[in-house]
Structures are given as structure tokens and as C-alpha cells.
């Protein structure tokens, strides 16, 4: 099937996004559009063959090793990502089929992501399209562990924004034992709790300084950790340049719209904006130390809420023009990701293909 399946998925998501933004829809039509968008992503991710994804070879060997242990042997293993190890073991007690494991991981990630989007989004199809456009199917098909952790962090911050702090902190801890890099999401505590509008620049500067201080001591420890626990043991250099530029351009446009709209400091859009700005700062550091690329998604993921919500709150012709330009830019970027195929997801094969 090559690239055709991914391309058709992107076109479907873009078309549904355009429909829901450009035209007035009733409650039933919105539910249908939400279902179609979610189904497109689920079907592409869950129906793929178990060799579609660059990191799956490493996940396969880990699955067969961990699922083959008994409970006592499992308890004796010292691993910082014990949550993901436990997930491997639990699935392995019911099935020794690796394909079942990657379907469960993919399905969990997408459904958790969808639940978080429902809590914060004005337009769900536009948010799902934004996710696929900036992170690509490559993330969902290849980076099982990091995407599951990022989705859990996303939902945790949504709960924190609703002032349901116990659930939020529980999910942050859960994400950190699935992927240890999720500990960086504790910085969201500062982003969520500081509410005064005039403190925005000071807040970002303070979080950045704190992050730099943590990195100074934490990076050497992180390197040692990944030398032991990273499945691929490969650090990719130069990642994130295109996404850094796309998010930066979009943030400039969004900032102008937010200023004109008399936002409140506790709006979800402001939380998302601050998160994306901090993600840009982390990415600047990642140009010099590529391991930090693993951390940017915990902050950039809020772009999928920020852009659709900001655009959909506009009115009339201006809303349609901004939406058309935004969707076109995302569509082009999504195709760039497919062309580069940095995660080995091409060619696409269904599970029933030989």
C-alpha cells in the first residue's frame, strides 16, 4: 500500500476539519465527525502489520523477554520504566502475540489522547488532524512508550487545569514510570498554578531557568540512564528543526489573536500557549543536545489544542481564512513527515498482507 493509506488518512482528517470549521454543524453532525476522525486514526494504527515502525524490533525483543518472566523474577528487575515493563508482562500473561501488544499500546494511547482532547477542545477533528500533522503516524506506529507517556501527561494536565489535582498528579507519576523522561512534566505545576496575566514573561523565564538548572545536573544522569534502559540506544541528531519553525510561526500568529481577544490567564489557550513557548525553548537546547528531543513533545503536544481553539473562537470570514491557511500548512507539513519517513513506517502493510 506504500504511502497511500497514510495520505488518504491525512486527506480525510483535513476534509473533516475543514467541514467542521467552515460550516455550522449540529450536535449529531459533530458526533459523526468526531467518530470518523477517531476511527481513521485507530484503523490505520491498529490494522498495520507488526513490522511497520522503526523501533518495533526492539520492542519485540523486550516484550518476549519481560512477558516470559514469572512474577518473582519481575520484582527482582531494577528498571526506571517499571510501568511499561509491567504492561508488557500483563499483556504477555494473556497472549504471547507481539501484535496484540502493539495494538493495545496504540489503542490506549489514542483513546487517552482523545479523552484529553474532549476535555479541552472546541473542535475535536481539527485537534486530531493537528496531532497527526505535527507528530505524524510515525510517532504512533513507532514510539510506543514515549507516545503513551505523552498522552498520559496530556490528560494529567487537563485534570490539573480542572483543579482535579489528585488525578493529575497520579497520572504524572504513572507517566513517569512508563517513560522516565515524563518527570520533566512536573514543570507544568508552575505553568498551571501561576494565574496572574502580568506574570507570564516572568513565569516562562523562571521555568526556563529552573529547567536549565535541572539539566545541568540531570543531563549526565539522563545519559547514563539511557545507556542502560533505552531500547534503541540510538540518539538522533538534528531532530525537530521543521517542527520548531512551524510551531514558532504559528505561535506568532496565535499570539496576535490572543492579545486582540482579551484572554484570561487561566484560559486553556493561555496554558497551551505557555506550554508551546517553553517547548520552543527546550528545542533550542535540543539542537545542541539531541537527547532533549525526547522532552519537547510533553510541551508541544498542547499545540493541538492551542491552534484549533484559537482559530475556532474567531468569527466570520476571518475565521475561515485563518482556518484555511492553518489547515493547508498542517497538510503540507504532514506530507513532509511522510516523505522523510524518519521512523521506518513506509511502506504501509495491513496485518493480513503477507
Amino acid at each position: 500500500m506504500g504511502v497511500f493509506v497514510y495520505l488518504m488518512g491525512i486527506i480525510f482528517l483535513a476534509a473533516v476539519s475543514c467541514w467542521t470549521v467552515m460550516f455550522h454543524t449540529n450536535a449529531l453532525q459533530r458526533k459523526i465527525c468526531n467518530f470518523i476522525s477517531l476511527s481513521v486514526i485507530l484503523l490505520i494504527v491498529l490494522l498495520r502489520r507488526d513490522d511497520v515502525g522503526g523501533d518495533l524490533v526492539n520492542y519485540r525483543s523486550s516484550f518476549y523477554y519481560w512477558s516470559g518472566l514469572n512474577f518473582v523474577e519481575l520484582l527482582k528487575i531494577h528498571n526506571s520504566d517499571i510501568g511499561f515493563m509491567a504492561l508488557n508482562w500483563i499483556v504477555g500473561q494473556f497472549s504471547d502475540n507481539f501484535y496484540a501488544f502493539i495494538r493495545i499500546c496504540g489503542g490506549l494511547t489514542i483513546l487517552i489522547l482523545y479523552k484529553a482532547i474532549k476535555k479541552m477542545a472546541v473542535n475535536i477533528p481539527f485537534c486530531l488532524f493537528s496531532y497527526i500533522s505535527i507528530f505524524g503516524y510515525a510517532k504512533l506506529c513507532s514510539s510506543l512508550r514515549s507516545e503513551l507517556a505523552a498522552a498520559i501527561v496530556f490528560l494529567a494536565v487537563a485534570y490539573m487545569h480542572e483543579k482535579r489535582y489528585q488525578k493529575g498528579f497520579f497520572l504524572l507519576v504513572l507517566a513517569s514510570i512508563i517513560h522516565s523522561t515524563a518527570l520533566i512534566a512536573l514543570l507544568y505545576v508552575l505553568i498551571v498554578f501561576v494565574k496572574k496575566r502580568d506574570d507570564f514573561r516572568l513565569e516562562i523565564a523562571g521555568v526556563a531557568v529552573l529547567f536549565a538548572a535541572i539539566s545541568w545536573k540531570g543531563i549526565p544522569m539522563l545519559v547514563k540512564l539511557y545507556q542502560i534502559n533505552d531500547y534503541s540506544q540510538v540518539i538522533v541528531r538534528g531532530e525537530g528543526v521543521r517542527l520548531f519553525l512551524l510551531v514558532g510561526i504559528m505561535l506568532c500568529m496565535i499570539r496576535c489573536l490572543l492579545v486582540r481577544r482579551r484572554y484570561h490567564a487561566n484560559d486553556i489557550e493561555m496554558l497551551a500557549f505557555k506550554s508551546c513557548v517553553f517547548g520552543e525553548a527546550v528545542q533550542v537546547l535540543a539542537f545542541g543536545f539531541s537527547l532533549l528531543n525526547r522532552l519537547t513533545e510533553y510541551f508541544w503536544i498542547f499545540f493541538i489544542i492551542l491552534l484549533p481553539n484559537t482559530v475556532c473562537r474567531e468569527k466570520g470570514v476571518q475565521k475561515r481564512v485563518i482556518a484555511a491557511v492553518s489547515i493547508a500548512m498542517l497538510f503540507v507539513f504532514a506530507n513532509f513527515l511522510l516523505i522523510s519517513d524518519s521512523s521506518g513506517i513506509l511502506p504501509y502493510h495491513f496485518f493480513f498482507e503477507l
Side-chain angles (χ1 to χ4, degrees):
M1 286 302 221
V3 74
F4 178 76
V5 173
Y6 298 117
L7 185 58
M8 288 304 299
I10 293 169
I11 291 172
F12 263 101
L13 290 170
V16 175
S17 298
C18 281
W19 173 265
T20 55
V21 175
M22 302 293 185
F23 303 100
H24 176 73
T25 53
N26 58 39
L28 177 60
Q29 290 171 332
R30 286 193 294 272
K31 287 181 179 179
I32 293 172
C33 290
N34 295 347
F35 177 77
I36 291 173
S37 299
L38 178 63
S39 298
V40 166
I41 298 174
L42 277 171
L43 289 174
I44 290 176
V45 172
L46 300 187
L47 296 184
R48 76 189 193 281
R49 204 164 65 184
D50 63 3
D51 59 352
V52 177
D55 286 344
L56 294 188
V57 172
N58 302 298
Y59 285 115
R60 185 193 301 271
S61 60
S62 298
F63 171 74
Y64 287 127
Y65 173 72
W66 284 331
S67 62
L69 301 175
N70 60 45
F71 187 69
V72 175
E73 291 172 329
L74 190 73
L75 293 177
K76 292 180 180 179
I77 295 179
H78 299 287
N79 191 299
S80 61
D81 301 323
I82 189 172
F84 192 70
M85 181 179 70
L87 179 60
N88 279 262
W89 185 82
I90 292 169
V91 174
Q93 304 314 298
F94 296 94
S95 173
D96 60 356
N97 189 338
F98 175 67
Y99 183 64
F101 173 72
I102 64 173
R103 287 168 71 181
I104 289 171
C105 283
L108 275 175
T109 300
I110 295 168
L111 292 176
I112 292 171
L113 186 75
Y114 183 77
K115 182 176 178 64
I117 288 173
K118 280 188 70 175
K119 285 180 170 294
M120 298 180 283
V122 173
N123 185 309
I124 292 174
F126 196 176
C127 291
L128 291 172
F129 172 62
S130 299
Y131 177 85
I132 291 299
S133 296
I134 67 172
F135 296 118
Y137 287 106
K139 288 280 190 179
L140 289 172
C141 292
S142 187
S143 304
L144 306 184
R145 184 168 55 119
S146 61
E147 286 307 290
L148 180 57
I152 294 173
V153 167
F154 193 42
L155 181 59
V157 178
Y159 277 121
M160 290 169 65
H161 184 259
E162 294 177 344
K163 298 183 179 180
R164 300 167 71 179
Y165 301 122
Q166 289 183 336
K167 282 190 175 183
F169 282 114
F170 170 77
L171 288 173
L172 286 180
V173 172
L174 178 61
S176 69
I177 62 173
I178 288 175
H179 203 301
S180 54
T181 58
L183 285 170
I184 195 65
L186 290 173
L187 292 176
Y188 268 117
V189 174
L190 295 177
I191 295 176
V192 171
F193 281 91
V194 176
K195 298 295 186 183
K196 293 181 180 179
R197 175 177 172 176
D198 295 336
D199 288 346
F200 170 64
R201 292 183 182 87
L202 181 62
E203 178 187 354
I204 290 296
V207 173
V209 169
L210 178 60
F211 176 77
I214 293 172
S215 299
W216 179 60
K217 289 291 186 182
I219 283 176
M221 295 173 61
L222 206 59
V223 171
K224 291 180 182 179
L225 177 68
Y226 273 93
Q227 287 174 345
I228 298 171
N229 292 327
D230 187 29
Y231 298 139
S232 64
Q233 296 184 4
V234 174
I235 296 174
V236 180
R237 299 193 179 277
E239 286 186 344
V241 177
R242 291 172 181 166
L243 186 53
F244 173 80
L245 294 174
L246 176 70
V247 172
I249 293 169
M250 291 287 199
L251 284 179
C252 292
M253 176 191 75
I254 291 168
R255 178 65 174 171
C256 295
L257 296 176
L258 288 176
V259 168
R260 188 173 55 80
R261 191 171 55 83
R262 293 187 63 82
Y263 60 89
H264 296 287
N266 60 346
D267 285 351
I268 190 63
E269 289 84 3
M270 277 309 302
L271 188 156
F273 183 83
K274 290 183 285 187
S275 174
C276 291
V277 169
F278 187 67
E280 290 283 279
V282 173
Q283 182 59 53
V284 170
L285 295 175
F287 292 143
F289 185 73
S290 57
L291 188 58
L292 295 180
N293 280 305
R294 298 175 182 267
L295 308 182
T296 55
E297 186 175 350
Y298 294 116
F299 302 97
W300 272 345
I301 194 169
F302 267 91
F303 181 78
I304 73 173
I305 295 294
L306 177 62
L307 178 65
N309 279 19
T310 305
V311 170
C312 291
R313 293 191 194 281
E314 294 298 308
K315 305 293 183 183
V317 176
Q318 180 168 312
K319 172 184 175 180
R320 291 184 174 87
V321 171
I322 296 174
V325 172
S326 300
I327 291 172
M329 290 179 67
L330 292 176
F331 182 81
V332 170
F333 189 81
N335 282 278
F336 269 123
L337 290 180
L338 278 180
I339 292 170
S340 63
D341 187 27
S342 60
S343 295
I345 61 170
L346 291 177
Y348 183 90
H349 295 286
F350 288 106
F351 71 93
F352 50 79
E353 293 184 76
L354 297 178

